[in-house]
Amino acid sequence: MKKLYKVGIYCRLSVDDASNSAKAKSYIPADESASIENQREILSKFVMLNGWTEVKTYADDGYSGGNFQRPGFLEMLEDAKKGIINLILVKDLSRLGRDFVEVGRYTDVVFPSLGCRFVSVLDCLDTEGDNTDMLHFRSLMNDYHLKDLSNKIKSVRYAKMKSGQFLSAYAPYGYRKSEDDKHKLVIDEYSAAVVRRAFSMRRDGAAYGKIAAAFNLDGILSPRGYWHSLYGTGECRYSQFWTCATVKNLLNSEVYLGNLLMNYTGSRSYKDGTMIYKPESEWIRCEATHEAIVAPEEWEAVRKINEAAKRRVENNRKPTRSLFSGKLVCADCKGPLGASTETQHRKNGTVKHYVSYCCERYIQSGRSVCSWHRIYEMTLAQIVMAEIKADAEAASLDEAGAVEKLKRRMAQYDDQRTANTRQEIGKLRRRLQELESITAKLYEDKVSGAVSESTFSVLITKNEQERLIKAERLDALLSEVKKSDQDAADIQNWAATIRKYLNLQELDRETIDELIDHIEIGERTVVDGKRRQDVKVFYRFVGQINRELDMQ
C-alpha cells in the first residue's frame, strides 16, 4: 500500500534574500522568485502533483539562514515530533538553512529520527531516494555564501564607521537622526537640555543618585521612556524612571562632546551572534562628527569627578556574596533587594559588620521610587530558619497530611479530574487511530475507483478537520496531565527534602538554594505602637506554605 504523506511546507526569506530578489527580479522568472508567497505556491503545486496531503505551511519571513532558532522552523519540528507531518518540503536547500553542520544534522539525524522524509524541489534532493550525493556539497556552498555575505557586510559597516557615519538603530539621548541623512546626528532640544542639566549638577558635586532622583521628582522620562513616547507603539516595556546606572552612562559618554565611539562590540562569528566586547585597540573613534551638547571644559571637569568617584569605589572593600543574595524580592515593586554592609565602631575598640538588604529600585532611583523595605540579615535568618523548622516538623509528624494539604492548595492538582482526563486521552488516541485507517482506506478507494474524485475530496477534508481538532485536544490534555504529575512529584520531593532540616541549627547558602525559591519582603509599618514587617517565604516546587510571617 502506498504510504500516506502528510506534508509540512517550509518557506523562509531573509532580509538579504528579499533585497537580492528585488534587485534581480528583472532577470529571473516570476515563478522562481524567493518571496514567501511564490515559495508556497510552487510547493503546493508540487504536493498536489505527487498526490500527497498538504497539512500545514510554516513560514519565517526576515530570518537568517544561519540561525535555526526561528519560530516557524521550531513549530514545524514540534509538529513532526507529534506525527502531524511526516514529510518536510522546501523550495531549495538554502531555505532550510545555510549552516553546513546544522543542515547536515537535521537532514541526516533529526528528520530521520522523527520519521520525516525531506524533499528539496529545485535541488532534486530526496532523503528517501538515491540522489542525496550532492546534498552535503550544496549545503557546504550555502554555508560559504553565508560566510562571504557576513564578511562583506562587516567590511561595509567598518568603512562607514571609519568615515564617521552613525550606524546604530537608535540615536543617543539628547540627539535624533537627521531627516536628510539617517547616519548623521542632530540635537534634540528637549533631551539636550536634560543632558546639560545633568552635567551641570555633576560639576556642582551631585552624586549619580541625586541627579536621578531630581529627574524622577520632576517627572522627566528616562531615555528609553522618552524614545518610546516619540517613536514607540503600544505599551512601553521600558522603565520610565532614571537610575544611577542611566545617569552614569550618560555622564561618561563622549557623544555629548561631538565624538562617536564605535566598533567596541561585535559578535563571535557569523554563526554565533553572542555579543562580545572588543579590545580597545579595535575601537573606532571619530571626532567632531556632530554638534556637541556640552562644552569641552565642562565635559573634562565632569570626567575628572567621575574618575575620582571610580577610584574611591575600587578602593572600598570588595563585595562578597551575601546569605540571601538573589533570593529577596520587594513586596511592592517586585524588584530585587540588594545587600549592603554597615560598619559599627564600638567603644571597646572592636569593629562589627552588619549586612542589611534594601530595595534596589529605591536605591538606584536616588530614593525617589518605591521605599526602603529594609531588613537585617541576622533578623531575616532567624525568621526563615524558624519557618523551615516548623514546616520540617509538620512534614515529619504527618507527611501524608502535609502532602494532602498541599495538593488541595494547588488548584491545578485534582485526583478525580486527572482520572477523567486520562480516560478522555485514551478515547482520543483510539479515535485518531481510526481516522488514520479511514484516511488510508479512502486513498485505496480513490485509486480503485470505488469513490469519485469529488466525493474523495469532501470526505478527506472532513476527516482531516476532525483529526486536527482531536489532535489539538489530545495535546492540551497531555500537557494538563503532565503538569498534574509534575505537581504531585514536586510535592513529594518537597516533603522528603524538608524533613532533613528538622534539627537545623544554622542557616547557610546551601540550605537556602535547596529549599527556597524567593522571599518577599514588605515595608516596615507601625501598628499599635509596635513595628511590624511582613515576610513571605516561597519554597521551591510548592510556593508559599503558610501565611506571611510578621517580624515584630
Side-chain angles (χ1 to χ4, degrees), residues 117-288:
R117 179 179 175 183
F118 174 74
V119 176
S120 173
V121 176
L122 297 186
D123 297 313
C124 298
L125 297 174
D126 187 343
T127 54
E128 287 198 359
D130 56 0
N131 58 344
T132 59
D133 296 343
M134 295 294 292
L135 189 149
H136 296 296
F137 177 74
R138 290 181 183 275
S139 179
L140 183 61
M141 293 305 297
N142 286 329
D143 190 289
Y144 174 77
H145 170 76
L146 184 65
K147 181 180 180 181
D148 183 56
L149 185 63
S150 174
N151 290 336
K152 288 177 180 177
I153 292 173
K154 285 181 179 179
S155 297
V156 171
R157 286 183 57 85
Y158 187 83
K160 287 184 176 182
M161 285 188 286
K162 290 290 286 184
S163 66
Q165 295 186 48
F166 182 79
L167 300 181
S168 297
Y170 310 115
Y173 187 72
Y175 291 96
R176 55 183 172 80
K177 293 184 179 181
S178 170
E179 295 180 0
D180 300 325
D181 182 359
K182 66 179 181 179
H183 300 304
K184 187 171 181 61
L185 298 176
V186 295
I187 290 179
D188 175 76
E189 290 301 335
Y190 173 81
S191 54
V194 178
V195 172
R196 294 188 188 100
R197 180 182 172 187
F199 272 87
S200 178
M201 291 179 68
R202 184 62 169 170
R203 190 174 185 180
D204 291 339
Y208 296 135
K210 290 291 185 182
I211 298 172
F215 289 173
N216 288 330
L217 292 173
D218 289 347
I220 299 173
L221 289 175
S222 68
R224 284 289 190 93
Y226 179 66
W227 179 90
H228 185 271
S229 70
L230 295 178
Y231 310 109
T233 57
E235 185 179 354
C236 181
R237 297 181 291 109
Y238 311 116
S239 172
Q240 302 288 303
F241 301 103
W242 289 79
T243 65
C244 295
T246 306
V247 175
K248 180 181 178 181
N249 291 337
L250 184 149
L251 293 173
N252 284 275
S253 176
E254 287 189 35
V255 73
Y256 302 114
L257 195 58
N259 302 336
L260 283 181
L261 184 62
M262 299 172 286
N263 203 46
Y264 50 87
T265 62
S267 58
R268 294 184 188 276
S269 73
Y270 71 100
K271 291 185 179 181
D272 183 358
T274 304
M275 188 67 67
I276 59 171
Y277 282 95
K278 296 183 178 182
E280 194 169 348
S281 58
E282 296 182 23
W283 295 0
I284 298 175
R285 177 181 280 101
C286 297
E287 299 183 356

Side-chain angles (χ1 to χ4, degrees), residues 344-358:
Q344 184 183 87
H345 296 273
R346 299 183 174 180
K347 291 181 179 180
N348 60 6
T350 61
V351 177
K352 183 70 174 179
H353 298 290
Y354 293 94
V355 176
S356 63
Y357 299 89
C358 303

Side-chain angles (χ1 to χ4, degrees), residues 193-454:
V194 178
V195 172
R196 294 188 188 100
R197 180 182 172 187
F199 272 87
S200 178
M201 291 179 68
R202 184 62 169 170
R203 190 174 185 180
D204 291 339
Y208 296 135
K210 290 291 185 182
I211 298 172
F215 289 173
N216 288 330
L217 292 173
D218 289 347
I220 299 173
L221 289 175
S222 68
R224 284 289 190 93
Y226 179 66
W227 179 90
H228 185 271
S229 70
L230 295 178
Y231 310 109
T233 57
E235 185 179 354
C236 181
R237 297 181 291 109
Y238 311 116
S239 172
Q240 302 288 303
F241 301 103
W242 289 79
T243 65
C244 295
T246 306
V247 175
K248 180 181 178 181
N249 291 337
L250 184 149
L251 293 173
N252 284 275
S253 176
E254 287 189 35
V255 73
Y256 302 114
L257 195 58
N259 302 336
L260 283 181
L261 184 62
M262 299 172 286
N263 203 46
Y264 50 87
T265 62
S267 58
R268 294 184 188 276
S269 73
Y270 71 100
K271 291 185 179 181
D272 183 358
T274 304
M275 188 67 67
I276 59 171
Y277 282 95
K278 296 183 178 182
E280 194 169 348
S281 58
E282 296 182 23
W283 295 0
I284 298 175
R285 177 181 280 101
C286 297
E287 299 183 356
T289 58
H290 53 273
E291 185 179 354
I293 292 178
V294 179
E297 57 273 12
E298 185 168 23
W299 195 91
E300 184 61 25
V302 169
R303 186 192 66 80
K304 290 180 179 179
I305 294 172
N306 295 341
E307 287 294 326
K310 182 179 178 181
R311 286 193 296 272
R312 286 196 301 272
V313 171
E314 289 174 347
N315 291 333
N316 290 340
R317 193 170 65 147
K318 298 297 182 184
T320 56
R321 191 187 190 197
S322 301
L323 183 62
F324 293 99
S325 293
K327 294 291 184 179
L328 304 186
V329 177
C330 174
D332 294 318
C333 73
K334 305 305 179 184
L337 268 67
S340 60
T341 303
E342 302 174 21
T343 303
Q344 184 183 87
H345 296 273
R346 299 183 174 180
K347 291 181 179 180
N348 60 6
T350 61
V351 177
K352 183 70 174 179
H353 298 290
Y354 293 94
V355 176
S356 63
Y357 299 89
C358 303
C359 175
E360 284 193 356
R361 192 176 187 191
Y362 172 71
I363 299 298
Q364 289 296 318
S365 66
R367 305 182 181 183
S368 60
V369 178
C370 203
S371 58
W372 268 110
H373 292 78
R374 187 178 196 175
I375 190 167
Y376 282 91
E377 183 176 276
M378 183 170 55
T379 304
L380 182 59
Q382 292 173 353
I383 294 173
V384 173
M385 189 161 70
E387 167 81 347
I388 291 173
K389 292 178 72 173
D391 290 327
E393 184 177 359
S396 297
L397 292 175
D398 184 11
E399 181 175 339
V403 168
E404 188 59 33
K405 180 181 176 182
L406 279 172
K407 284 183 178 181
R408 289 197 302 269
R409 186 181 61 79
M410 299 175 76
Q412 297 91 341
Y413 191 89
D414 185 324
D415 284 329
Q416 185 57 49
R417 181 181 175 185
T418 301
N420 294 338
T421 300
R422 292 185 191 279
Q423 287 182 358
E424 188 177 351
I425 287 173
K427 293 178 181 179
L428 285 170
R429 281 176 168 162
R430 288 191 293 272
R431 180 55 182 164
L432 285 171
Q433 290 176 352
E434 291 174 3
L435 291 172
E436 291 283 353
S437 300
I438 291 170
T439 299
K441 184 66 168 58
L442 281 172
Y443 272 96
E444 290 179 3
D445 291 344
K446 176 191 172 186
V447 172
S448 65
V451 296
S452 65
E453 184 69 36
S454 59

